[in-house]
Amino acid sequence: MKARLVLFFCLGVICANNYAQVCFEPVKSISRQVKGDVVEKGDFNNDGKIDLIIGNSTKNGNFFYDIYFLTGNASGGFDTVYNVKSSDKPTKILFGDFNNDKNQDIAIGFVRPKSNWDDYGIIVYWGFGNGIFDSVTTEVGTSIYRIDFCTADFNHDGAIDLAIAYLTPRNIKLFYGSKDSSFINKVTISSPIFRNLSTINCTDLNSDGWSDLVIGNGAQKGVLVDGNDSLSVLIFNKLDSSFYPAENSWCKGRNQGIYFGDFDGDHNVDILSTNYFEAGTGNSVILWGKGGARFEVADNLLSTSYINATVGDFNRDGMDDVAFIKDTIITQNQLWVVTGTIDRKMGMEQSIQISNGNIFSADLNTDSLRDIFTLSSTLNLLFNCSTTGFNEIDSQLKVKYYPNPCHSFLNIESEVDSKINYVEIYDLSGRFLEKYHFLTLGELQINMPVASGVYFLRCKSENNRVTNFKVMRD
């Protein structure tokens, strides 16, 4: 173990505090010909490896914007397949099977410059499942006002839907995907508490199996304390694809991003709200899930400037962590990891110096460890070499799972002396999909997602033993 501490970049204070150790191998820079700042990860050629789609919001020499398609390879790296040029500036990219044909499509948010104003909207590229996308695209939700969007199957019909937040007229529209590759706007959500809708994200907040919405409500001068305060708005699904009235929770600063995780290991979804103030300063606030629709607002998690964040269990202790790039005068462009803890204090540890850019995470080399990659002028890979901070034999939950590949159901059988507390399902990009709660010995059965593909499952027992494994859904 001492040799590993010499060879790799580890977060040294963790062991002294009895936290599970976080370790990353030295940075590997690849794909210098690929430049961009908008990234989505998934499996668009159905080979079981992470692929990337990268958008560059800066025009190239030909006055077009580049979108790169990179396929994952066996070493955990990427090969550039091709790139397309667009007159629209990409702002966000998300995967989703919007027509329920079992192939990954992509939704690209765009800004379309015009002489007097800009158009904002989403273009959907329909995937064939072999790495190629249809030349015929679909434009959705176009507006002259800025938008943000998220994706989920809000009505449980098997087709992924789009939820779009509009800066003006301050509402949210749901566009439901369908088998005929079209979108239908059936739901518009308005609320008197909507002020300046800056960000939107979606997940199952209250473990009822239906996706809910979280909105970053921007900032408005002179409204609350310090004149710089905003709201994170929670909107819960009624289980019939309609939604309850919006509820708010206070967060200081202009909301820049919304992330989800279980940072204290209590099996409830927590919400990380990253916020920005003036002159490059910011903070991050966690809304701690307390079960159901109840959340508790924490004190500031960070009070320094950040650039971008990603969430994952980097040290395999059953609690999610936050990795981000921090840019201050003292520590310029440092990769930091904030580790989740049972006591909710969160331990912050500095890692390594890295180039500026956006940060993302996924299991790139299929070793069940969540790796980090950053993107600026180059694509940088940091492979995870962490171990748990506990005895590996004692902490590893032993399970049997079958059949693999499976169809609709997967059977999971735990070891004799361990009751499985919960099972979580993630897609290949690391996005949380479903959580099943149990407290039973022996065999249990879970429903697998409708779409074919590779999924990661994480099981945790009542005595905090954890295991991760990969399942193919045919």
Side-chain angles (χ1 to χ4, degrees), residues 81-102:
V81 179
Y82 59 89
N83 75 306
V84 298
K85 300 184 183 301
S86 173
S87 58
D88 298 329
K89 176 181 177 179
T91 59
K92 188 173 187 175
I93 305 174
L94 292 178
F95 277 105
D97 180 8
F98 301 109
N99 55 1
N100 198 18
D101 67 351
K102 316 307 179 190

PDB file of all heavy atoms in Angstrom, residues 81-102:
ATOM      1  N   VAL A  81     -14.234   9.280 -33.855  1.00  0.00           N
ATOM      2  CA  VAL A  81     -14.877   8.665 -35.003  1.00  0.00           C
ATOM      3  C   VAL A  81     -15.084   9.708 -36.098  1.00  0.00           C
ATOM      4  O   VAL A  81     -14.638   9.559 -37.218  1.00  0.00           O
ATOM      5  CB  VAL A  81     -16.221   8.037 -34.601  1.00  0.00           C
ATOM      6  CG1 VAL A  81     -16.912   7.424 -35.798  1.00  0.00           C
ATOM      7  CG2 VAL A  81     -16.002   6.992 -33.527  1.00  0.00           C
ATOM      8  N   TYR A  82     -15.759  10.779 -35.761  1.00  0.00           N
ATOM      9  CA  TYR A  82     -16.004  11.839 -36.745  1.00  0.00           C
ATOM     10  C   TYR A  82     -16.485  13.074 -36.011  1.00  0.00           C
ATOM     11  O   TYR A  82     -16.783  13.050 -34.820  1.00  0.00           O
ATOM     12  CB  TYR A  82     -17.016  11.390 -37.789  1.00  0.00           C
ATOM     13  CG  TYR A  82     -18.364  10.999 -37.226  1.00  0.00           C
ATOM     14  CD1 TYR A  82     -19.374  11.948 -37.058  1.00  0.00           C
ATOM     15  CD2 TYR A  82     -18.643   9.676 -36.884  1.00  0.00           C
ATOM     16  CE1 TYR A  82     -20.615  11.585 -36.546  1.00  0.00           C
ATOM     17  CE2 TYR A  82     -19.876   9.311 -36.377  1.00  0.00           C
ATOM     18  CZ  TYR A  82     -20.860  10.270 -36.218  1.00  0.00           C
ATOM     19  OH  TYR A  82     -22.077   9.905 -35.707  1.00  0.00           O
ATOM     20  N   ASN A  83     -16.546  14.179 -36.725  1.00  0.00           N
ATOM     21  CA  ASN A  83     -17.146  15.370 -36.158  1.00  0.00           C
ATOM     22  C   ASN A  83     -18.042  16.018 -37.202  1.00  0.00           C
ATOM     23  O   ASN A  83     -17.867  15.826 -38.416  1.00  0.00           O
ATOM     24  CB  ASN A  83     -16.082  16.357 -35.660  1.00  0.00           C
ATOM     25  CG  ASN A  83     -15.392  17.089 -36.784  1.00  0.00           C
ATOM     26  OD1 ASN A  83     -14.870  16.449 -37.694  1.00  0.00           O
ATOM     27  ND2 ASN A  83     -15.366  18.405 -36.733  1.00  0.00           N
ATOM     28  N   VAL A  84     -19.054  16.731 -36.725  1.00  0.00           N
ATOM     29  CA  VAL A  84     -19.953  17.457 -37.612  1.00  0.00           C
ATOM     30  C   VAL A  84     -19.847  18.941 -37.280  1.00  0.00           C
ATOM     31  O   VAL A  84     -19.483  19.322 -36.163  1.00  0.00           O
ATOM     32  CB  VAL A  84     -21.411  16.979 -37.459  1.00  0.00           C
ATOM     33  CG1 VAL A  84     -21.547  15.515 -37.839  1.00  0.00           C
ATOM     34  CG2 VAL A  84     -21.912  17.195 -36.028  1.00  0.00           C
ATOM     35  N   LYS A  85     -20.170  19.774 -38.269  1.00  0.00           N
ATOM     36  CA  LYS A  85     -20.115  21.214 -38.086  1.00  0.00           C
ATOM     37  C   LYS A  85     -21.526  21.768 -38.058  1.00  0.00           C
ATOM     38  O   LYS A  85     -22.391  21.334 -38.817  1.00  0.00           O
ATOM     39  CB  LYS A  85     -19.287  21.858 -39.194  1.00  0.00           C
ATOM     40  CG  LYS A  85     -17.848  21.344 -39.236  1.00  0.00           C
ATOM     41  CD  LYS A  85     -17.023  22.071 -40.265  1.00  0.00           C
ATOM     42  CE  LYS A  85     -15.625  21.481 -40.334  1.00  0.00           C
ATOM     43  NZ  LYS A  85     -14.935  21.545 -39.053  1.00  0.00           N
ATOM     44  N   SER A  86     -21.739  22.716 -37.158  1.00  0.00           N
ATOM     45  CA  SER A  86     -23.070  23.277 -36.987  1.00  0.00           C
ATOM     46  C   SER A  86     -22.983  24.797 -36.932  1.00  0.00           C
ATOM     47  O   SER A  86     -22.024  25.357 -36.392  1.00  0.00           O
ATOM     48  CB  SER A  86     -23.705  22.737 -35.702  1.00  0.00           C
ATOM     49  OG  SER A  86     -24.926  23.394 -35.426  1.00  0.00           O
ATOM     50  N   SER A  87     -23.988  25.449 -37.470  1.00  0.00           N
ATOM     51  CA  SER A  87     -24.070  26.911 -37.358  1.00  0.00           C
ATOM     52  C   SER A  87     -24.674  27.328 -36.026  1.00  0.00           C
ATOM     53  O   SER A  87     -24.691  28.513 -35.691  1.00  0.00           O
ATOM     54  CB  SER A  87     -24.904  27.482 -38.507  1.00  0.00           C
ATOM     55  OG  SER A  87     -26.209  26.912 -38.507  1.00  0.00           O
ATOM     56  N   ASP A  88     -25.193  26.356 -35.264  1.00  0.00           N
ATOM     57  CA  ASP A  88     -25.771  26.615 -33.949  1.00  0.00           C
ATOM     58  C   ASP A  88     -24.736  26.337 -32.862  1.00  0.00           C
ATOM     59  O   ASP A  88     -24.034  25.329 -32.896  1.00  0.00           O
ATOM     60  CB  ASP A  88     -26.997  25.737 -33.703  1.00  0.00           C
ATOM     61  CG  ASP A  88     -28.111  26.010 -34.698  1.00  0.00           C
ATOM     62  OD1 ASP A  88     -28.225  27.167 -35.152  1.00  0.00           O
ATOM     63  OD2 ASP A  88     -28.860  25.069 -35.040  1.00  0.00           O
ATOM     64  N   LYS A  89     -24.678  27.207 -31.869  1.00  0.00           N
ATOM     65  CA  LYS A  89     -23.737  27.062 -30.762  1.00  0.00           C
ATOM     66  C   LYS A  89     -24.277  26.056 -29.745  1.00  0.00           C
ATOM     67  O   LYS A  89     -25.351  26.256 -29.188  1.00  0.00           O
ATOM     68  CB  LYS A  89     -23.524  28.418 -30.089  1.00  0.00           C
ATOM     69  CG  LYS A  89     -22.641  28.389 -28.858  1.00  0.00           C
ATOM     70  CD  LYS A  89     -22.523  29.781 -28.262  1.00  0.00           C
ATOM     71  CE  LYS A  89     -21.700  29.785 -26.983  1.00  0.00           C
ATOM     72  NZ  LYS A  89     -21.581  31.151 -26.427  1.00  0.00           N
ATOM     73  N   PRO A  90     -23.569  24.936 -29.490  1.00  0.00           N
ATOM     74  CA  PRO A  90     -24.060  23.946 -28.513  1.00  0.00           C
ATOM     75  C   PRO A  90     -23.910  24.440 -27.079  1.00  0.00           C
ATOM     76  O   PRO A  90     -22.889  25.021 -26.721  1.00  0.00           O
ATOM     77  CB  PRO A  90     -23.182  22.720 -28.773  1.00  0.00           C
ATOM     78  CG  PRO A  90     -21.903  23.295 -29.316  1.00  0.00           C
ATOM     79  CD  PRO A  90     -22.291  24.522 -30.098  1.00  0.00           C
ATOM     80  N   THR A  91     -24.938  24.207 -26.261  1.00  0.00           N
ATOM     81  CA  THR A  91     -24.906  24.637 -24.864  1.00  0.00           C
ATOM     82  C   THR A  91     -25.027  23.474 -23.886  1.00  0.00           C
ATOM     83  O   THR A  91     -24.617  23.587 -22.728  1.00  0.00           O
ATOM     84  CB  THR A  91     -26.048  25.622 -24.586  1.00  0.00           C
ATOM     85  OG1 THR A  91     -27.311  24.994 -24.879  1.00  0.00           O
ATOM     86  CG2 THR A  91     -25.903  26.877 -25.447  1.00  0.00           C
ATOM     87  N   LYS A  92     -25.601  22.357 -24.317  1.00  0.00           N
ATOM     88  CA  LYS A  92     -25.786  21.214 -23.430  1.00  0.00           C
ATOM     89  C   LYS A  92     -26.081  19.990 -24.291  1.00  0.00           C
ATOM     90  O   LYS A  92     -26.710  20.099 -25.343  1.00  0.00           O
ATOM     91  CB  LYS A  92     -26.954  21.472 -22.461  1.00  0.00           C
ATOM     92  CG  LYS A  92     -27.118  20.425 -21.369  1.00  0.00           C
ATOM     93  CD  LYS A  92     -28.184  20.863 -20.363  1.00  0.00           C
ATOM     94  CE  LYS A  92     -28.247  19.928 -19.167  1.00  0.00           C
ATOM     95  NZ  LYS A  92     -29.213  20.415 -18.133  1.00  0.00           N
ATOM     96  N   ILE A  93     -25.632  18.813 -23.849  1.00  0.00           N
ATOM     97  CA  ILE A  93     -25.882  17.568 -24.569  1.00  0.00           C
ATOM     98  C   ILE A  93     -26.350  16.518 -23.579  1.00  0.00           C
ATOM     99  O   ILE A  93     -25.737  16.320 -22.530  1.00  0.00           O
ATOM    100  CB  ILE A  93     -24.617  17.061 -25.301  1.00  0.00           C
ATOM    101  CG1 ILE A  93     -24.053  18.134 -26.233  1.00  0.00           C
ATOM    102  CG2 ILE A  93     -24.928  15.793 -26.088  1.00  0.00           C
ATOM    103  CD1 ILE A  93     -22.724  17.764 -26.878  1.00  0.00           C
ATOM    104  N   LEU A  94     -27.443  15.811 -23.912  1.00  0.00           N
ATOM    105  CA  LEU A  94     -27.944  14.723 -23.083  1.00  0.00           C
ATOM    106  C   LEU A  94     -28.350  13.550 -23.965  1.00  0.00           C
ATOM    107  O   LEU A  94     -28.917  13.746 -25.046  1.00  0.00           O
ATOM    108  CB  LEU A  94     -29.150  15.167 -22.247  1.00  0.00           C
ATOM    109  CG  LEU A  94     -28.895  16.192 -21.134  1.00  0.00           C
ATOM    110  CD1 LEU A  94     -30.200  16.558 -20.452  1.00  0.00           C
ATOM    111  CD2 LEU A  94     -27.897  15.663 -20.120  1.00  0.00           C
ATOM    112  N   PHE A  95     -28.050  12.329 -23.492  1.00  0.00           N
ATOM    113  CA  PHE A  95     -28.522  11.123 -24.154  1.00  0.00           C
ATOM    114  C   PHE A  95     -29.937  10.786 -23.701  1.00  0.00           C
ATOM    115  O   PHE A  95     -30.362  11.159 -22.606  1.00  0.00           O
ATOM    116  CB  PHE A  95     -27.619   9.931 -23.815  1.00  0.00           C
ATOM    117  CG  PHE A  95     -26.375   9.837 -24.652  1.00  0.00           C
ATOM    118  CD1 PHE A  95     -25.137  10.174 -24.127  1.00  0.00           C
ATOM    119  CD2 PHE A  95     -26.435   9.407 -25.959  1.00  0.00           C
ATOM    120  CE1 PHE A  95     -23.989  10.084 -24.882  1.00  0.00           C
ATOM    121  CE2 PHE A  95     -25.295   9.307 -26.736  1.00  0.00           C
ATOM    122  CZ  PHE A  95     -24.068   9.641 -26.196  1.00  0.00           C
ATOM    123  N   GLY A  96     -30.653  10.022 -24.532  1.00  0.00           N
ATOM    124  CA  GLY A  96     -31.965   9.504 -24.155  1.00  0.00           C
ATOM    125  C   GLY A  96     -32.579   8.746 -25.314  1.00  0.00           C
ATOM    126  O   GLY A  96     -32.386   9.114 -26.474  1.00  0.00           O
ATOM    127  N   ASP A  97     -33.302   7.678 -24.993  1.00  0.00           N
ATOM    128  CA  ASP A  97     -34.031   6.941 -26.032  1.00  0.00           C
ATOM    129  C   ASP A  97     -35.417   7.578 -26.158  1.00  0.00           C
ATOM    130  O   ASP A  97     -36.384   7.145 -25.544  1.00  0.00           O
ATOM    131  CB  ASP A  97     -34.137   5.460 -25.642  1.00  0.00           C
ATOM    132  CG  ASP A  97     -34.873   4.642 -26.683  1.00  0.00           C
ATOM    133  OD1 ASP A  97     -35.170   5.169 -27.775  1.00  0.00           O
ATOM    134  OD2 ASP A  97     -35.177   3.466 -26.398  1.00  0.00           O
ATOM    135  N   PHE A  98     -35.515   8.612 -26.967  1.00  0.00           N
ATOM    136  CA  PHE A  98     -36.731   9.424 -27.020  1.00  0.00           C
ATOM    137  C   PHE A  98     -37.861   8.776 -27.816  1.00  0.00           C
ATOM    138  O   PHE A  98     -39.014   9.189 -27.681  1.00  0.00           O
ATOM    139  CB  PHE A  98     -36.411  10.797 -27.615  1.00  0.00           C
ATOM    140  CG  PHE A  98     -35.372  11.557 -26.836  1.00  0.00           C
ATOM    141  CD1 PHE A  98     -34.103  11.755 -27.355  1.00  0.00           C
ATOM    142  CD2 PHE A  98     -35.654  12.055 -25.578  1.00  0.00           C
ATOM    143  CE1 PHE A  98     -33.134  12.446 -26.643  1.00  0.00           C
ATOM    144  CE2 PHE A  98     -34.700  12.747 -24.850  1.00  0.00           C
ATOM    145  CZ  PHE A  98     -33.434  12.943 -25.384  1.00  0.00           C
ATOM    146  N   ASN A  99     -37.553   7.769 -28.639  1.00  0.00           N
ATOM    147  CA  ASN A  99     -38.607   7.096 -29.422  1.00  0.00           C
ATOM    148  C   ASN A  99     -38.766   5.627 -29.060  1.00  0.00           C
ATOM    149  O   ASN A  99     -39.445   4.879 -29.775  1.00  0.00           O
ATOM    150  CB  ASN A  99     -38.353   7.246 -30.924  1.00  0.00           C
ATOM    151  CG  ASN A  99     -36.971   6.747 -31.329  1.00  0.00           C
ATOM    152  OD1 ASN A  99     -36.203   6.263 -30.498  1.00  0.00           O
ATOM    153  ND2 ASN A  99     -36.655   6.860 -32.608  1.00  0.00           N
ATOM    154  N   ASN A 100     -38.135   5.207 -27.956  1.00  0.00           N
ATOM    155  CA  ASN A 100     -38.320   3.852 -27.424  1.00  0.00           C
ATOM    156  C   ASN A 100     -37.979   2.768 -28.448  1.00  0.00           C
ATOM    157  O   ASN A 100     -38.650   1.743 -28.533  1.00  0.00           O
ATOM    158  CB  ASN A 100     -39.753   3.660 -26.920  1.00  0.00           C
ATOM    159  CG  ASN A 100     -39.890   2.470 -25.982  1.00  0.00           C
ATOM    160  OD1 ASN A 100     -38.912   1.976 -25.438  1.00  0.00           O
ATOM    161  ND2 ASN A 100     -41.117   1.989 -25.817  1.00  0.00           N
ATOM    162  N   ASP A 101     -36.909   2.986 -29.231  1.00  0.00           N
ATOM    163  CA  ASP A 101     -36.473   1.960 -30.181  1.00  0.00           C
ATOM    164  C   ASP A 101     -35.250   1.209 -29.672  1.00  0.00           C
ATOM    165  O   ASP A 101     -34.625   0.468 -30.423  1.00  0.00           O
ATOM    166  CB  ASP A 101     -36.189   2.580 -31.547  1.00  0.00           C
ATOM    167  CG  ASP A 101     -34.988   3.530 -31.535  1.00  0.00           C
ATOM    168  OD1 ASP A 101     -34.470   3.837 -30.426  1.00  0.00           O
ATOM    169  OD2 ASP A 101     -34.565   3.974 -32.615  1.00  0.00           O
ATOM    170  N   LYS A 102     -34.898   1.409 -28.391  1.00  0.00           N
ATOM    171  CA  LYS A 102     -33.780   0.749 -27.703  1.00  0.00           C
ATOM    172  C   LYS A 102     -32.418   1.260 -28.154  1.00  0.00           C
ATOM    173  O   LYS A 102     -31.382   0.673 -27.818  1.00  0.00           O
ATOM    174  CB  LYS A 102     -33.822  -0.786 -27.871  1.00  0.00           C
ATOM    175  CG  LYS A 102     -35.204  -1.407 -27.701  1.00  0.00           C
ATOM    176  CD  LYS A 102     -35.867  -1.019 -26.412  1.00  0.00           C
ATOM    177  CE  LYS A 102     -37.255  -1.639 -26.283  1.00  0.00           C
ATOM    178  NZ  LYS A 102     -38.027  -1.100 -25.156  1.00  0.00           N
TER     179      LYS A 102
END
